Every structure is written in C-alpha cells, then in structure tokens.
Amino acid sequence: MSDDLSAANTAARSREVRPMWNSGILLLVGSIGVLSGAFAAFGFYHRMLNPFAHALTLWVLLAVLVSARRAPRVAVPRTVVCLLGAVVAFYVGKPLLYNTVYYPEAPDIGIQVSNLAMWCVLAVFAGAVVGGVFSAIGGPAWSGSAATAAAIALLVAATLEETRFGFAGSELLLLLCCGCAVLLTLHLADTRGERLKRIGVLTPPLLVAGFVLVAAPDLLQGMTL
C-alpha cells in the first residue's frame, strides 16, 4: 500500500512540474493566428470581407479559444503567439496582396513597419492580459463568470465599434460572426445555475470598458502617424 501511495505521489508531482505547453502547440496556435491574419489581409481590399480586417472580433475570439479553461501559464504564451502571428501575417500580407492580387498594375506599396512594430507590442501586451483573464472562462467561481462577461463585452464592443450599428451586407456578416462567437464563449463557460445570471449582470458595465479598449489602438496608431 505504501509503495502504491508513493508511486501516486511521484506521479502527481511529475504532473505538476511537467510543462503544460510545448513548441508543437505554440507552432499550431501561431499558424492559426497567421491564417487569421492572412484572411484579414485578404479582406482588407474585399468589399464584403472588409469589416473583418478592421474589427478586433476575430482576434478576441481566437484569444478565447486558445486560453479558455487552461492554466494562465499555458493560456498566456498561446495567446501571445497566436496574436503575434496574426499581426505579422496581416501587415506583411496586406501589401503583398495589393501588389500581386488586387492591383498588380498599380505602383507597389511596402510594409507599414511602424504600424507592424506597434501592433506587435500591443499583441504581446494584450495577449498577456487577455490570455490570463480568459483562462478563467469555464470556472465556477465569480472569476469565471467575470472572465466570460469580459470576453463577451469585448466581442460585442469590437463588432459594434466597426459596424456602427449598421446592418448592410458586409456588416451583417460581422454581426453574425460576433453572435456565433458569443455563443461559443458561453459554450466554453460554466453557465449552470446562477452563473448565467452573473454573466448577464457583469456584461453591460464591462461593455463600456470594452469600447474604450477596442478604440485605444486606433487612437494610438493615429498619434504615431
């Protein structure tokens, strides 16, 4: 019996110290970020997909997916790598697609290095913050409900900040994407019993903060131009 207990304790300690993320997983989430950034770059010059290139909705959703229900030390690096991949792919892909796909006859444009650098810094900072916060999604405590409400508030704020409450064809696509993202976030969350009410109560005040946060990068970018 003592040998069995000792073996169980050794296995438990091994699980505690074993890394919960590895380079393969980081490569995967980074690749997902790159694909999302490439999609946004493609949509930048596309009439119907243009809102996806300007709104932060897609990247808030990615942050939720790679961080929810995970330990902060796992969620943070995954979120940072995912967002960095998206930023680099977007700012590198945008001029590449302009020069080769959309306007090959027009004079070539280059990479906006200052914007790329600024958004890479923001990706690291935002990934560290939202990765840590969103990791609580799915927890039964108030922190889990608050993290879920924060994610929903950011999704809605990012979408409405871009659509301005419009319902045109391209804006409708983004609104539908936001609706699906909210439902997916609730699916990942713990909504049993009173927890769904907690999320409903916490979301409106956090929505105000969400509007401030999603508007801040554009304001900062305008100041650096």
Side-chain angles (χ1 to χ4, degrees), residues 25-41 58-59 62-63 66 78-91:
I25 296 297
L26 291 181
L27 180 61
L28 175 62
V29 297
S31 299
I32 293 172
V34 168
L35 289 175
S36 71
F39 169 75
L58 180 61
W59 292 290
L62 285 180
V66 301
R78 290 185 182 184
T79 308
V80 169
V81 169
C82 186
L83 294 182
L84 273 175
V87 167
V88 173
F90 177 73
Y91 278 101

Side-chain angles (χ1 to χ4, degrees), residues 55 57 153-167 174-175 178 207 211 214:
T57 309
L154 275 177
L155 286 167
V156 174
T159 302
L160 295 182
E161 194 268 341
E162 173 60 26
T163 63
R164 309 292 181 181
F165 298 92
F167 293 94
L174 184 59
L175 288 168
C178 177
L207 186 59
F211 277 114
V214 298

Side-chain angles (χ1 to χ4, degrees), residues 122-184:
L122 287 175
V124 173
F125 177 75
V129 173
V130 300
V133 172
F134 292 171
S135 67
I137 293 175
W142 270 94
S143 59
S145 300
T148 304
I152 293 173
L154 275 177
L155 286 167
V156 174
T159 302
L160 295 182
E161 194 268 341
E162 173 60 26
T163 63
R164 309 292 181 181
F165 298 92
F167 293 94
S170 58
E171 294 161 344
L172 183 59
L173 283 177
L174 184 59
L175 288 168
L176 289 174
C177 176
C178 177
C180 293
V182 169
L183 291 176
L184 185 54

